[in-house]
Amino acid sequence: MATMMSTGKDVVSFLKGQHQQVKGLLEGVLAATGKEREKAFFTLRRMLAVHETAEEEIVHPAARKNLPDGEAIVRARLHEEHEAKQALVALESLDVDSPEFETKFRKLKAAVLAHAESEETEEFEQLGQTLEPARLERMRKAAEFAESVAPTRPHAGVESAAANMLAGPFVAMVDRTRDALSSSKS
């Protein structure tokens, strides 16, 4: 069993750092209104989409293979990710200043925070203790690449490495085109 020595270059540190960013973005959405809330929600939605893609393509397969209870851990995380994607899609259709958005967003926030905590304690920590530091650093590089070509919007039903690899490139192209068109309207 390897002992993780975090250099800040490993996948565990990288993803935990992104969890901290997500926490800040969640608060930013709640603190804003109007156009600023729309922008904050767009930024959050994009961050969650690319972050989850990296986990689905890089981290979850390693957890399945290397952790004694990996299959059960990953199954639970994928279920949570699917639920969050559905919630994000539902929120996209709402007026960001409506009471319904506020209520649903607060539920999403609680679910995302619980999901991040579960990942960190049940998956990341065990991977950090099980895998060699060099492998964790390679996984970070792979996660960064996966994020650079990931879809920027949530797609419920695309929660596996295979589904991401199959649908991901086309979906990412469509998402990035939609993002460019919507930002040009602002």
Side-chain angles (χ1 to χ4, degrees):
M1 189 180 258
T3 300
M4 188 183 88
M5 295 175 23
S6 177
T7 62
K9 296 179 182 177
D10 61 85
V11 72
V12 172
S13 298
F14 175 68
L15 295 174
K16 281 183 169 183
Q18 287 189 339
H19 284 176
Q20 291 304 310
Q21 291 175 332
V22 166
K23 288 175 186 176
L25 292 170
L26 288 162
E27 291 301 326
V29 171
L30 288 172
T33 57
K35 288 289 183 192
E36 290 305 312
R37 182 177 268 187
E38 281 180 24
K39 289 178 188 176
F41 180 69
F42 174 88
T43 301
L44 172 68
R45 185 199 69 215
R46 186 179 198 292
M47 174 78 171
L48 288 172
V50 299
H51 174 83
E52 293 305 331
T53 297
E55 289 177 344
E56 292 161 6
E57 290 181 8
I58 309 304
V59 177
H60 296 335
R64 271 194 178 105
K65 184 177 178 182
N66 295 287
L67 301 182
D69 51 352
E71 185 60 42
I73 291 169
V74 171
R75 191 176 325 111
R77 298 303 73 81
L78 291 176
H79 175 74
E80 294 162 359
E81 290 164 11
H82 179 77
E83 295 289 316
K85 288 176 183 182
Q86 288 181 316
L88 283 165
V89 168
L91 283 165
E92 285 180 316
S93 66
L94 300 175
D95 175 352
V96 295
D97 288 322
S98 70
E100 185 179 7
F101 179 92
E102 184 90 17
T103 300
K104 288 184 176 187
F105 187 82
R106 288 185 183 280
K107 287 180 185 174
L108 172 70
K109 177 185 174 194
V112 166
L113 294 175
H115 170 74
E117 178 68 23
S118 294
E119 280 182 334
E120 289 180 17
T121 58
E122 296 175 20
E123 191 172 16
F124 298 173
E125 189 173 304
Q126 287 187 64
L127 283 173
Q129 294 171 355
T130 303
L131 302 179
E132 295 297 324
R135 176 150 182 219
L136 293 168
E137 287 183 22
R138 287 191 306 272
M139 288 174 65
R140 178 196 172 132
K141 291 175 186 171
E144 288 175 320
F145 177 76
E147 288 184 357
S148 75
V149 295
T152 59
R153 295 169 183 258
H155 296 280
V158 183
E159 285 92 24
S160 71
N164 277 312
M165 297 293 187
L166 183 63
F170 176 74
V171 172
M173 180 185 65
V174 171
D175 284 356
R176 290 168 193 268
T177 301
R178 286 177 63 197
D179 292 346
L181 290 172
S182 64
S183 70
S184 68
K185 291 179 186 176
S186 305

